[in-house]
Amino acid sequence: MKRKQSGMTLIGFLIVLAVAGFAAYIGMKLFPMYQEYYAVRSAMKGLASEPGIGDMDPSKIQDLFFRRLYINYSENVKKSDVKIERMEGGWLMKVNYEVRRPMVGNLDVVGKFDTTQELTRKGAVP
């Protein structure tokens, strides 16, 4: 009685290992970009819940925003990426920035992030 072995061959295992390794490499490149984006969102939501934020000067709002980002080690958002516009009942804060990370050789991965938050006199708007 001959039994035929079944299972994964060494070459099949190496291919699966290479695909999993490449996915992990891409994840390591993308995770910091999205972690920074969520830090930006968190800072904006924190500003929205500040008492009296709708009556503050835009330069003061921007200063408070960048202080919150400094705590989270955010380095890709520049002052030119933050726009604060007047709206009825407060301010509309827009943050639009781009992150470029080298991937392999001359290939880069680019993340473009754009988010807005209303800063009103009443506090945070869900």
Side-chain angles (χ1 to χ4, degrees), residues 43-102:
M44 291 173 77
K45 286 182 181 180
L47 274 179
S49 64
E50 276 292 313
I53 195 75
D55 296 324
M56 286 187 188
D57 186 52
S59 62
K60 177 72 173 166
I61 294 172
Q62 195 173 40
D63 183 51
L64 289 172
F65 176 68
F66 279 103
R67 283 183 187 191
R68 290 172 187 255
L69 287 185
Y70 180 74
I71 292 170
N72 291 319
Y73 302 108
S74 176
E75 56 191 33
N76 291 305
V77 180
K78 309 294 182 229
K79 289 194 184 249
S80 61
D81 298 331
V82 178
K83 305 283 187 256
I84 300 174
E85 300 172 356
R86 175 58 83 186
M87 63 174 237
E88 189 169 330
W91 300 99
L92 182 66
M93 183 176 192
K94 297 179 181 181
V95 179
N96 185 3
Y97 68 101
E98 186 176 288
V99 180
R100 183 178 300 265
R101 300 259 188 234

Side-chain angles (χ1 to χ4, degrees), residues 2-71:
K2 277 190 166 183
R3 293 180 110 187
K4 187 174 180 181
Q5 288 186 341
S6 63
M8 188 179 290
T9 64
L10 179 62
I11 293 174
F13 178 71
L14 291 176
I15 290 172
V16 169
L17 192 63
V19 169
F22 184 69
Y25 179 74
I26 289 175
M28 288 188 312
K29 291 292 184 175
L30 295 179
F31 179 74
M33 292 173 22
Y34 282 98
Q35 183 180 18
E36 182 178 38
Y37 171 70
Y38 288 115
V40 168
R41 287 292 310 142
S42 173
M44 291 173 77
K45 286 182 181 180
L47 274 179
S49 64
E50 276 292 313
I53 195 75
D55 296 324
M56 286 187 188
D57 186 52
S59 62
K60 177 72 173 166
I61 294 172
Q62 195 173 40
D63 183 51
L64 289 172
F65 176 68
F66 279 103
R67 283 183 187 191
R68 290 172 187 255
L69 287 185
Y70 180 74
I71 292 170

